[in-house]
Amino acid sequence: MSYHYLLDLALILLSTKLLGMLTRRFQMPQVVGALLAGLILGPAMLNVLKETEFLSQLSELGVIVILFTAGMTTDLRELKNAGKSGFWVALCGVLVPLAMGTAFGWLAGKAGWLPGNTLLEDVFLGTVLTATSVSITVETLKELDKLDTKVGGTILAAALIDDVLGLIALTVVSSLAGEGTSLLVVLLRIALFFVFAVVAALLANRFFRWMIDQADGRNLRRYPVLAFVLCLLMAYCAEEFFGVADIIGAFAAGLVVASTPKAKYIEVKFTTLSYLLLTPVFFASIGINVELPELNGGLAVFSLLLLAVAVLSKVIGCGLGARLCGFRGDECIQVGTGMACRGEVALIVANRGLSMGVLSQTMMTPIIITVVGCAILTPILLKLVFRNKKEVVPQESGLVDRYREAEQLEYVSERLLQENRDMMKKKDEKEN
Amino acid sequence: MSYHYLLDLALILLSTKLLGMLTRRFQMPQVVGALLAGLILGPAMLNVLKETEFLSQLSELGVIVILFTAGMTTDLRELKNAGKSGFWVALCGVLVPLAMGTAFGWLAGKAGWLPGNTLLEDVFLGTVLTATSVSITVETLKELDKLDTKVGGTILAAALIDDVLGLIALTVVSSLAGEGTSLLVVLLRIALFFVFAVVAALLANRFFRWMIDQADGRNLRRYPVLAFVLCLLMAYCAEEFFGVADIIGAFAAGLVVASTPKAKYIEVKFTTLSYLLLTPVFFASIGINVELPELNGGLAVFSLLLLAVAVLSKVIGCGLGARLCGFRGDECIQVGTGMACRGEVALIVANRGLSMGVLSQTMMTPIIITVVGCAILTPILLKLVFRNKKEVVPQESGLVDRYREAEQLEYVSERLLQENRDMMKKKDEKEN
């Protein structure tokens, strides 16, 4: 019986947390620290952690749960409220990076930087660049006290839609990669999966409401467990019956759960499952799989150029979308900069491409550098574009409230426990 | 890339939850349902679930987390308050089943029921019978409105100490099984591990208090994550440096965490990790590994006798302990019956014996039957021994309060989320 996995997990949790706290102190997101932890402990540097079967399976499950949670935070009813500015910013913010990423890959291929890359690899590179990660922007805007503004609200709304559009792009591109199927078959499959998801949503909603009517308000555990079952089944069915990536199924299941009455409660539980085990393993395992020695001069230049393409394409795309909705020029740049950051979804898409054989292992290093680079650049750029803009009128936003809600619940429940404990201690002391 | 594990996990979560809800409706604990789920889906019956590398690794991690949580709920300061009656009930309640279990195994060997069993196997069988599971008793006493009594308080206190004593027995017995080491070396190792655990407790306490002073009351996630690191490291060190079972290390880490200021908050988080993923996988995987065809007539009789020994030995042992502390005769029987139930710890100890080669695979079926049988019998017997006992004076107990606390927090936080959601919906409607 081997118990070495205990040490592996301990190292992963400790290093991702410590480096995450460190990067946070320097105004960078914890994602950067978690990636660095994997890089430092992995074969690229210290070589104390190796990818095991267990870790890679846990990290796959982690990806499922991350996208399930992402789906749950995407309330479709809020998408309607997000309005047309959110939609246009998201749409242009997906199409322009997709196009620019593809073009960049193609040009790099022509220039001899990417030996033997195919058109599909170029398109996949573009797909990796589509998904925005909004958490760093939210933190920075909070700090600048600019979250409750028109620009802040638009960014949050666009980021919601962005996820959905980015995953649609992934579905189309990754389905095309499978055994030379035609675009028509792929679109048909996606349409069928969409019908399946809608039916699942209706049934799940009815089932959850029925269960809540049956129950006496106690026994809350069944809701997260059954939501997890739905997530796993939809992820499985997506692959098995529709040829669609399992992560898309998990995201769709998240959307379904978001529409049920216990959505927030379920989300809080999955957040715990994520940060306590699955997400650190996922990030560490990305870092472990990087082979730094490959980073020669050519690849380094390619990485920096990719980073530039990533930032510029979002600023241009999202700025264009904002312009179409009548934003002022400086506001367009603010929106675009706020959408420039990439995060876990980009890494998940890249990982997916790697395991499908569409992206080469060599591409992972530039992509990780891009994700880390965006995370470092975004707060700096945001502070720059929001300079001397003190006249902005604060604006209330349901999306902003919702973003804070889960966080506050943690403090409230921690307080409750603490007070209960203090009370009981006093009682004990009185009795003795 | 294989995605079949998604279906496996979905089946496990769904079947353990549904059967758990079903058995609960029949006043039986969810453990019974979860075990049945594994039996039904596994090779013993439907054969749709097979043990995979991933499942068995997850289930091992589950065992670690179950014992870590068990340790966390064992507040050492409360052990002092538990008083001498709790201690004597627990001590006799561990020694008598250990002795009777060993004797029974030896007699069964003599009678030819257990071909080729060794003395060590007999002692291990006794060890399996030591650990009480108190949750069913608590539920039944609540229902009978007898939890806030002297008997109820003594049972809760004894169950706390019982865990610690049972695990000490396991440590000694399982260390003896390793490469023919002498009892002296084993005791020395355990003493060293005890010193290590005390030092770890002091350091961890100081570190946690330092962290809480540093922090601004936000960023609560670091506490559960660091507690998990402590658990994994102590489990690893127990095996690597002291030759003590990893689960003992995890339990000791739980005790350490219980003494830190954020103990309750951390415990709530690990409860989520448990019920949402790890515990169902553990129970299902126990059920999967049972081979029913082995259940011939002899083994069936042996199983029923083992069940009788399990119940009687606890009633005798704990009753004796209660008697020593001046309980009335009927109260002694109530205490003994309340301690008769076995649960996950018995299964974990048995599983450990199996993987060490000390228990044979054949023994798993009788042990599972005993656990299930105890769970079915306990509520029935408890109602019997509490009949016509309406004159009991209710008594306040800190232990009882604490048992309810975590449960209540769930309802409170669920309510908060619900109200927040309703409020936001109203706001949205007003705005539109």
Side-chain angles (χ1 to χ4, degrees), chain A residues 140-141 144 307-308 310-312 315 333-334 336-338 340-341 373-387:
Chain A
T140 315
L141 291 185
L144 297 172
L307 172 58
V311 173
L312 279 179
V315 173
I333 292 181
Q334 288 169 359
T337 314
C341 199
C374 281
I376 297 171
L377 282 178
T378 303
I380 301 173
L381 292 177
L382 268 176
K383 282 171 193 167
L384 220 67
V385 297
F386 269 102
R387 226 179 14 180

Side-chain angles (χ1 to χ4, degrees), chain B residues 123-422:
Chain B
V123 178
F124 217 96
L125 188 61
T127 312
V128 170
L129 296 186
T130 58
T132 287
S133 162
V134 85
S135 58
I136 299 169
T137 299
V138 170
E139 288 301 319
T140 315
L141 291 184
K142 257 190 214 167
E143 194 194 316
L144 298 171
D145 207 15
K146 293 282 188 294
L147 192 58
D148 292 314
T149 61
K150 194 171 116 191
V151 168
T154 306
I155 291 174
L156 281 179
L160 272 182
I161 307 172
D162 180 279
D163 272 354
V164 182
L165 295 178
L167 286 175
I168 292 177
L170 170 67
T171 312
V172 176
V173 174
S174 66
S175 299
L176 279 175
E179 326 116 37
T181 36
S182 73
L183 188 61
L184 194 73
V185 174
V186 167
L187 289 179
L188 189 71
R189 272 193 200 153
I190 293 173
L192 282 176
F193 178 72
F194 184 75
V195 173
F196 166 74
V198 170
V199 172
L202 292 175
L203 290 178
N205 237 301
R206 190 163 280 203
F207 181 71
F208 266 79
R209 280 173 209 282
W210 175 79
M211 279 204 54
I212 291 165
D213 284 345
Q214 296 291 308
D216 52 358
R218 308 217 139 204
N219 303 324
L220 292 164
R221 288 185 184 182
R222 59 185 63 169
Y223 304 112
V225 171
L226 290 176
F228 202 7
V229 171
L230 183 76
C231 161
L232 294 165
L233 279 184
M234 282 184 73
Y236 176 76
C237 291
E239 288 268 6
E240 182 75 12
F241 304 116
F242 302 95
V244 168
D246 51 7
I247 53 177
I248 312 284
F251 185 82
L255 291 178
V256 170
V257 169
S259 67
T260 64
K262 299 277 176 198
K264 265 290 154 189
Y265 181 76
I266 295 170
E267 189 191 321
V268 170
K269 296 299 157 194
F270 277 92
T271 309
T272 304
L273 182 62
S274 265
Y275 79 75
L276 204 47
L277 179 65
L278 299 177
T279 316
V281 171
F282 167 66
F283 285 120
S285 112
I286 294 262
I288 290 172
N289 284 319
V290 170
E291 286 150 27
L292 274 192
E294 284 179 0
L295 192 64
N296 51 42
L299 203 62
V301 175
F302 177 80
S303 302
L304 292 179
L305 286 175
L306 184 65
L307 171 59
V309 170
V311 173
L312 280 177
S313 62
K314 275 286 176 186
V315 173
I316 295 172
C318 297
L320 192 72
R323 192 73 201 164
L324 290 175
C325 303
F327 278 67
R328 284 200 320 264
D330 57 338
E331 288 172 336
C332 291
I333 293 180
Q334 288 168 359
V335 169
T337 313
M339 298 285 290
C341 199
R342 310 303 201 283
E344 39 273 56
V345 178
L347 293 173
I348 288 171
V349 172
N351 224 21
R352 178 99 203 157
L354 188 66
S355 66
M356 286 172 61
V358 184
L359 276 190
S360 63
Q361 176 72 53
T362 330
M363 284 301 291
M364 285 307 279
T365 310
I367 289 171
I368 290 177
I369 289 174
T370 301
V371 169
V372 173
C374 281
I376 296 170
L377 282 177
T378 303
I380 301 173
L381 292 175
L382 268 177
K383 281 172 195 170
L384 220 65
V385 298
F386 269 103
R387 228 179 12 181
N388 305 325
K389 298 275 173 352
K390 291 209 167 121
E391 73 285 6
V392 193
V393 191
Q395 199 178 355
E396 276 203 3
S397 157
L399 281 174
V400 176
D401 291 347
R402 182 163 283 255
Y403 195 89
R404 289 176 180 149
E405 178 184 35
E407 216 178 335
Q408 278 164 353
L409 183 78
E410 284 304 291
Y411 308 135
V412 173
S413 57
E414 208 276 332
R415 277 286 94 203
L416 280 175
L417 285 171
Q418 196 66 47
E419 272 163 31
N420 198 337
R421 196 188 161 97
D422 293 347

Side-chain angles (χ1 to χ4, degrees), chain A residues 85 89 137 141 146 148-155 314-339 381-382 384-389 391-395:
Chain A
S85 61
V89 169
T137 299
L141 291 185
K146 293 280 188 297
D148 292 313
T149 59
K150 193 171 117 192
V151 167
T154 304
I155 291 173
K314 277 283 178 187
V315 173
I316 295 173
C318 298
L320 192 73
R323 191 74 202 163
L324 289 177
C325 303
F327 278 68
R328 283 201 322 263
D330 56 338
E331 288 172 338
C332 290
I333 292 181
Q334 288 169 359
V335 169
T337 314
M339 297 285 290
L381 292 177
L382 268 176
L384 220 67
V385 297
F386 269 102
R387 226 179 14 180
N388 305 325
K389 298 274 170 6
E391 73 286 2
V392 192
V393 191
Q395 196 179 358

Side-chain angles (χ1 to χ4, degrees), chain A residues 103-242:
Chain A
F104 174 66
W106 185 76
L107 285 174
K110 286 278 165 207
W113 274 334
L114 298 175
N117 70 320
T118 60
L119 180 62
L120 199 61
E121 185 165 6
D122 299 338
V123 177
F124 217 95
L125 188 62
T127 312
V128 169
L129 296 186
T130 58
T132 287
S133 161
V134 84
S135 58
I136 300 169
T137 299
V138 170
E139 289 302 320
T140 315
L141 291 185
K142 258 191 212 166
E143 195 194 313
L144 297 172
D145 206 16
K146 293 280 188 297
L147 192 56
D148 292 313
T149 59
K150 193 171 117 192
V151 167
T154 304
I155 291 173
L156 281 178
L160 273 182
I161 307 172
D162 180 281
D163 272 354
V164 181
L165 295 179
L167 286 175
I168 293 177
L170 170 68
T171 312
V172 176
V173 174
S174 66
S175 299
L176 279 175
E179 326 116 36
T181 35
S182 71
L183 187 62
L184 194 73
V185 175
V186 167
L187 290 178
L188 190 71
R189 274 193 200 150
I190 295 174
L192 282 176
F193 179 72
F194 184 75
V195 172
F196 166 74
V198 170
V199 172
L202 292 175
L203 289 178
N205 237 301
R206 190 164 280 203
F207 181 70
F208 266 78
R209 281 173 209 281
W210 175 79
M211 280 202 54
I212 292 165
D213 284 344
Q214 296 290 308
D216 52 357
R218 307 216 139 206
N219 303 323
L220 292 164
R221 287 184 185 183
R222 60 187 63 169
Y223 304 113
V225 171
L226 291 177
F228 203 7
V229 171
L230 182 76
C231 161
L232 294 165
L233 280 184
M234 281 183 74
Y236 177 76
C237 290
E239 288 268 7
E240 182 75 11
F241 304 117
F242 302 95

Side-chain angles (χ1 to χ4, degrees), chain A residues 234-282:
Chain A
M234 281 183 74
Y236 177 76
C237 290
E239 288 268 7
E240 182 75 11
F241 304 117
F242 302 95
V244 168
D246 50 6
I247 52 177
I248 310 284
F251 185 81
L255 291 178
V256 170
V257 169
S259 68
T260 64
K262 300 276 175 197
K264 265 289 154 189
Y265 182 76
I266 295 170
E267 188 191 322
V268 170
K269 296 299 156 193
F270 277 91
T271 308
T272 304
L273 181 64
S274 263
Y275 80 76
L276 204 46
L277 180 65
L278 299 178
T279 316
V281 172
F282 167 66

